[in-house]
Amino acid sequence: MEPIRETLKRVVNAPAFSERYNDMRKEVLENHGVQKFLEEHSSEIDKSTVDRGLHKLYEYIDQSHDCNKCPSFEGCINHLKGFEPNLVLERGTIGISYTPCRLKNAHDNKRRASSMIHSMYMPKEVMQATLSGFELDDSRMEAFRAVSKFLDETTGPDNMPKKGLYLYGKFGIGKSYLLSAVANELAEMNIRSVLVFVPEFMREMKQAIGDQTLQEKVDYVKKADVLMLDDIGAEAMSSWTRDEVLGTILHYRMAERLPTFMTSNFSYSELQHHLTYSQRGEKEDLKAARVMERIRALTEPVKLDGRNRRN
């Protein structure tokens, strides 16, 4: 049997192997990144160093750089997903180090931003909203400007306008979408938002009495950096949910001067009328006025108009 050393020597010296090796060496040395690396280390690298490190140089050129060969983070072709190779010289030997790529950084930032938003019963598609995706026309410009002003005046969790917005108007015109877009913008600033679909939240609060989680859930909502109450007025409001749940949340946020956003189909006056009558038909003007006083203290009303975009 032929010794393994002789076998390897014969394979290496074969014309086909030699040709492939030379082609690979040529491809490696013509790569811009490799040339730049060799120039930067010209005083430390000679031909033998290149020959010994040729497999590392080929590993380097065979991968994506600045995500130029990757369609997305999920479609990354590199040996380490989300990391791009960098040539290094360590003790006279060519090696490779890996650093996070542009797509990974964007992916991580998006995940980090998503963790800053807690949604309670909001539709998933709405939660993907962006300001750039908000269709502008004359009837929606006032709301867009009000939102932009709030964001421009926000520089961090401890420096936000004390008043949020009360976005109101008819069904399907983008109130919830704009609310979510604001939450996503705030998340980029590391500001935590809690988005609550009010009708479903109020139903859960009634159930929470039985499982003794009411106070915990109310505390979580009322202490959010930014609270967004979506579709207030669409729920069948009882005296208890109005006074003990909504009233408690709004009173805390008013006292602590925490930004609060709301959307509704009702104007201020229409919402007050809605809050005045309990499920049992009782007329409670004073209690409704007390809740509205807190809403006015927490928000600026902005009407949103336009066509129904759900149809």
Side-chain angles (χ1 to χ4, degrees):
M1 181 179 291
E2 183 180 33
I4 186 65
R5 185 180 300 174
E6 294 301 319
T7 302
L8 290 173
K9 187 186 298 185
R10 181 167 51 79
V11 171
V12 168
N13 291 330
F17 180 90
S18 179
E19 185 178 341
R20 286 198 302 271
Y21 177 84
N22 289 331
D23 288 344
M24 182 182 76
R25 194 175 194 280
K26 184 174 182 290
E27 181 185 359
V28 164
L29 296 179
E30 287 178 350
N31 180 269
H32 175 72
V34 171
Q35 289 179 354
K36 183 179 178 183
F37 171 75
L38 296 178
E39 287 172 9
E40 291 173 351
H41 298 275
S42 58
S43 62
E44 306 165 82
I45 294 177
D46 56 19
K47 181 178 180 299
S48 64
T49 306
V50 172
D51 288 340
R52 290 197 309 272
L54 196 63
H55 65 292
K56 286 294 182 182
L57 294 173
Y58 189 79
E59 179 183 331
Y60 169 80
I61 72 167
D62 192 45
Q63 299 185 71
S64 175
H65 301 272
D66 194 31
C67 307
N68 64 341
K69 299 178 184 177
C70 302
S72 62
F73 170 73
E74 291 74 15
C76 179
I77 67 165
N78 285 357
H79 297 184
L80 293 174
K81 182 178 178 180
F83 291 82
E84 60 182 332
N86 303 280
L87 291 171
V88 295
L89 189 66
E90 299 174 325
R91 296 187 296 276
T93 301
I94 295 173
I96 292 181
S97 67
Y98 285 88
T99 54
C101 69
R102 172 172 51 84
L103 289 176
K104 176 175 170 55
N105 287 332
H107 175 78
D108 290 348
N109 288 338
K110 186 175 181 180
R111 286 187 62 185
R112 186 161 51 248
S114 296
S115 71
M116 299 301 293
I117 302 174
H118 182 70
S119 165
M120 301 178 74
Y121 325 111
M122 295 288 285
K124 187 175 181 180
E125 61 272 16
V126 171
M127 295 305 299
Q128 309 301 320
T130 62
L131 284 183
S132 61
F134 184 72
E135 297 178 25
L136 281 177
D137 54 40
D138 291 342
S139 62
R140 294 151 69 85
M141 187 60 72
E142 182 185 0
F144 185 81
R145 285 174 178 159
V147 160
S148 298
K149 183 174 183 291
F150 181 91
L151 293 171
D152 288 343
E153 294 175 1
T154 298
T155 58
D158 299 320
N159 191 11
M160 291 184 282
K162 302 309 175 188
K163 273 193 171 187
L165 300 173
Y166 181 89
L167 304 172
Y168 69 98
K170 57 190 179 183
F171 295 101
I173 55 175
K175 300 184 299 295
S176 301
Y177 184 98
L178 189 54
L179 207 65
S180 179
V182 173
N184 284 317
E185 290 289 327
L186 292 173
E188 295 291 338
M189 305 181 206
N190 291 321
I191 297 172
R192 185 176 71 93
S193 298
V194 174
L195 282 78
V196 179
F197 181 60
V198 174
E200 192 61 41
F201 176 71
M202 291 305 181
R203 279 192 286 272
E204 182 170 320
M205 290 307 96
K206 294 173 185 175
Q207 296 172 1
I209 299 173
D211 60 25
Q212 300 181 337
T213 60
L214 175 65
Q215 193 59 51
E216 176 187 343
K217 290 173 180 174
V218 169
D219 284 349
Y220 179 79
V221 168
K222 76 181 186 183
K223 293 178 180 179
D225 291 344
V226 177
L227 176 61
M228 300 185 172
L229 299 173
D230 186 46
D231 217 3
I232 188 168
E235 73 291 336
M237 187 73 74
S238 68
S239 297
W240 177 79
T241 53
R242 179 195 61 204
D243 301 333
E244 301 304 322
V245 179
L246 182 61
T248 297
I249 290 169
L250 297 180
H251 178 75
Y252 179 88
R253 299 191 67 79
M254 184 177 69
E256 297 297 322
R257 303 184 73 190
L258 295 171
T260 307
F261 286 72
M262 302 181 193
T263 71
S264 181
N265 298 130
F266 295 145
S267 65
Y268 274 172
S269 59
E270 291 168 335
L271 180 62
Q272 181 160 345
H273 181 269
H274 170 75
L275 295 173
T276 297
Y277 293 90
S278 70
Q279 284 178 308
R280 291 182 289 186
E282 299 164 328
K283 191 168 185 277
E284 299 174 318
D285 295 286
L286 185 60
K287 291 181 177 180
R290 186 178 295 122
V291 172
M292 286 306 305
E293 179 185 15
R294 294 165 183 167
I295 291 175
R296 288 188 173 93
L298 286 166
T299 63
E300 295 285 352
V302 180
K303 187 173 183 179
L304 194 60
D305 212 338
R307 63 180 177 82
N308 188 330
R309 284 163 167 78
R310 292 178 188 163
N311 296 335

